[in-house]
Amino acid sequence: TFKKRCKSSGINAEYGGRSLLLGFRQPFKPRLLCACSGVPRTHPCNFGPAHFGDDAFFIVENEKRSVIGIADGVGGWRRYDVDPSKFTRSLMNNCERIARSTTTDVLNPVGLLQRAYEQMMHLKSPLLGSCTACIVVMDKEKKEVSAANLGDSGFMVVRGDVVVYQSQEQQHYFNTPYQLSISNDRLGVIQDRPSDADTTTISIQKGDLIVMATDGLFDNMFQQQIVERLKIIDRYAPTYETLKQAADKLAADARNLAMDEDYMSPFAMKAQHYGLNFRGGKLDDITVLLASVVNCWEEEDT
């Protein structure tokens, strides 16, 4: 398996009928060790293997790259008796399938999002809906991540206690993010393109943490609050259990703050910037995907 190949750390040579291990230090080859958590906005059981409420996500790991993605469905479609979660799950399922089957050396995150979106548009009976989306592709040879972020989901790269990068949300106007849509020409529906996504490429190091989340996290927790919850993770010897514990803590804290009517949340501060008299958190679906950059050659707890 891929995992077993990663853990190989030497060369086998036959000599006199015996197998000798010629050991040497392998160069750093990164992979992402991931854990995810979330809280649906309404019904506590509205979640599954790759979704929380109207949010959806995917994780792909292969020899060339690690790929993670997240999408947040636009709940306003329920006014038209449309389930927005079907749109996000379909988009993320398409992204996952394409990422798994792509064998070329380069996988562009905008191109991945474009192909997944086009597959949805070309269905005989296209799913109606809209969503934001964020895709991160880590190239294991170049040791860098390339990202495409459309809307107000996003990600942070944390190195030690320092945020070395945070994606910027894209808004048409307050609380109206950029979004991919299929509307059958319904009037008033915003329809942006994958090529409108904000893109970046960042070099990564062993021990870096990637925090990818929907706006249910970023609207309710400030950057420093998020970084503080990551301190339980041993950056150079992370385990799935500690990543999951941190992801659970972030999701739970964001949910509690979302329900605090006296809390001056990031969302409330943005509302006041636009002249709106609002205080408190923002109740929403919350999805948090934590990924630690680890060495592919080392024994890792997954």
Side-chain angles (χ1 to χ4, degrees):
T1 66
F2 168 72
K3 180 179 176 183
K4 290 180 179 177
R5 288 198 298 272
C6 277
K7 292 180 178 179
S8 172
S9 58
I11 301 175
N12 286 314
E14 291 295 325
Y15 178 76
R18 298 175 64 187
S19 178
L20 301 179
L21 186 66
L22 305 180
F24 63 92
R25 179 179 291 274
Q26 296 280 8
F28 171 53
K29 183 176 182 179
R31 71 180 179 96
L32 295 182
L33 178 64
C34 301
C36 193
S37 187
V39 182
R41 178 174 185 256
T42 53
H43 198 288
C45 294
N46 184 17
F47 68 92
H51 74 92
F52 297 94
D54 297 337
D55 294 351
F57 67 93
F58 75 94
I59 301 169
V60 169
E61 182 77 27
N62 59 40
E63 292 191 39
K64 294 180 182 294
R65 62 186 67 91
S66 302
V67 189
I68 56 177
I70 203 165
D72 179 359
V74 176
W77 278 96
R78 286 194 169 83
R79 293 196 296 266
Y80 307 108
D81 295 323
V82 172
D83 181 355
S85 69
K86 294 181 179 179
F87 189 89
T88 53
R89 293 179 208 175
S90 179
L91 183 67
M92 292 294 96
N93 285 340
N94 287 353
C95 285
E96 179 177 4
R97 184 172 59 254
I98 294 167
R100 289 192 187 283
S101 62
T102 300
T103 58
T104 56
D105 288 339
V106 176
L107 179 62
N108 181 283
V110 173
L112 172 58
L113 195 58
Q114 180 70 45
R115 290 168 62 189
Y117 181 49
E118 287 177 352
Q119 287 182 2
M120 293 180 65
M121 291 192 294
H122 293 156
L123 292 173
K124 290 183 178 179
S125 299
L127 286 171
L128 300 182
S130 308
C131 72
T132 65
C134 182
I135 306 289
V136 169
V137 178
M138 186 184 73
D139 187 304
K140 296 183 178 182
E141 294 302 321
K142 294 181 179 179
K143 301 179 180 61
E144 64 184 22
V145 294
S146 299
N149 185 58
L150 186 82
D152 58 2
S153 295
F155 75 103
M156 301 163 48
V157 178
V158 183
R159 186 169 297 154
D161 293 332
V162 178
V163 177
V164 296
Y165 180 81
Q166 180 162 5
S167 59
Q168 298 299 309
E169 66 177 33
Q170 297 174 304
Q171 299 275 1
H172 289 285
Y173 41 90
F174 176 66
N175 204 30
T176 307
Y178 283 34
Q179 53 201 263
L180 300 178
S181 303
I182 297 177
S183 64
N184 283 356
D185 299 323
R186 189 183 298 270
L187 294 177
V189 175
I190 295 171
Q191 191 162 359
D192 298 298
R193 299 167 297 177
S195 59
D196 294 323
D198 182 47
T199 60
T200 191
T201 300
I202 312 160
S203 296
I204 48 91
Q205 300 176 9
K206 181 181 176 181
D208 285 354
L209 289 171
I210 298 173
V211 184
M212 177 180 279
T214 54
D215 64 329
L217 176 71
F218 297 121
D219 279 342
N220 290 298
M221 295 187 72
F222 293 94
Q223 185 182 94
Q224 193 53 45
Q225 291 174 313
I226 295 171
V227 172
E228 187 68 27
R229 271 62 168 189
L230 301 178
K231 290 184 177 180
I232 64 171
I233 302 169
D234 184 338
R235 306 302 170 86
Y236 293 98
T239 64
Y240 171 79
E241 287 74 19
T242 55
L243 284 171
K244 184 66 166 66
Q245 183 180 352
D248 287 344
K249 177 67 171 171
L250 284 168
D253 286 354
R255 172 69 171 194
N256 289 335
L257 291 169
M259 301 177 70
D260 184 345
E261 296 180 355
D262 295 321
Y263 172 54
M264 184 52 70
S265 66
F267 180 80
M269 292 183 69
K270 286 182 283 189
Q272 293 195 1
H273 175 76
Y274 280 88
L276 302 175
N277 185 19
F278 180 87
R279 192 178 185 90
K282 181 189 177 189
L283 192 61
D284 201 352
D285 295 320
I286 300 164
T287 300
V288 181
L289 200 166
L290 285 186
S292 177
V293 178
V294 299
N295 193 347
C296 193
W297 304 111
E298 294 177 354
E299 293 285 335
E300 297 291 349
D301 188 2
T302 55

